[in-house]
Amino acid sequence: MKAVISGSFDPVTRGHVDIIRRAWRLFDQVVVGVAVNSSKNGIFSMEERVELVEAAVEGMSSVSVAPVDGLLVDFCAEQGADVIVRGLRFGGDFDYELQMAHMNKAMSGIETVLLPAGREYGTISSSIIRSAASNGGDVGEFVPEAVSEALRHRFGDASQT
Ligand code: ADP
């Protein structure tokens, strides 16, 4: 079975990597679809986000990364994917993910598999990482090394101030 994991990954966090790794173990092939970030306070370009996800999944041989332009269900059809995998953190995620899962199923028949967030990662979000890092916070505990470096490069090194 082939799974698509979608998100804006701005930036990819250890919570995302945990979901990707678990999906990698469950499915024959995994494609990480990096979507256009509609958030006004985005940090990284599409190219940068794809590169950072690629660095984070290094060594997971059956995982590939590709940009998503347009409808996720169209991307899934192009990729020949059987399921969409999404991570589920708290209450708000559930309401949104249920709506998305039903809409995607109605549009194309594709099923969505929701994986519960890992216990250590359930409160990490890209937006809180953006907010902390852009104000000089050290978020190294929550993101892969390459993201930590990219954030330091973008916002300066809090530990040096
Ligand atoms: P989107 O903008 O589509 O919500 P995100 O990049 O924020 O994209 O998230 C992509 C997917 O990863 C979503 O299913 C989201 O619930 C899940 N996710 C985000 N953060 C975590 C985390 N810390 N642990 C597990 N899943 C997560």
Side-chain angles (χ1 to χ4, degrees):
M1 287 248 273
K2 185 169 184 175
V4 161
I5 304 187
S6 68
S8 31
F9 304 104
D10 192 18
V12 62
T13 67
R14 292 194 188 198
H16 291 130
V17 176
D18 177 59
I19 295 289
I20 296 168
R21 182 170 289 111
R22 286 159 59 203
W24 170 57
R25 294 199 193 105
L26 288 170
F27 297 96
D28 304 308
Q29 276 179 285
V30 173
V31 183
V32 182
V34 180
V36 172
N37 191 0
S38 47
S39 159
K40 280 184 271 55
N41 57 350
I43 295 181
F44 295 114
S45 69
M46 172 64 87
E47 292 71 26
E48 290 169 319
R49 287 180 287 128
V50 167
E51 264 175 40
L52 290 171
V53 176
E54 272 168 352
V57 301
E58 215 183 301
M60 296 185 218
S61 51
S62 51
V63 178
S64 60
V65 187
V68 178
D69 186 14
L71 270 183
L72 180 60
V73 291
D74 292 340
F75 177 79
C76 291
E78 279 160 29
Q79 294 285 336
D82 306 286
V83 291
I84 296 169
V85 170
R86 302 271 296 177
L88 201 57
R89 290 163 297 178
F90 25 70
D93 264 3
F94 180 77
D95 292 355
Y96 177 69
E97 295 299 340
L98 201 61
Q99 286 188 312
M100 286 288 294
H102 285 160
M103 181 58 81
N104 287 331
K105 171 104 183 186
M107 287 191 293
S108 75
I110 196 162
E111 292 287 359
T112 297
V113 171
L114 299 176
L115 289 181
R119 272 183 300 169
E120 306 90 326
Y121 308 114
T123 58
I124 305 174
S125 66
S126 295
S127 60
I128 202 96
I129 297 291
R130 289 199 299 273
S131 162
S134 63
N135 286 292
D138 177 3
V139 296
E141 191 184 329
F142 308 111
V143 295
E145 185 50 41
V147 172
S148 216
E149 239 169 70
L151 288 169
R152 270 198 299 272
H153 193 253
R154 182 67 51 96
F155 297 113
D157 187 347
S159 66
Q160 303 291 304
T161 57

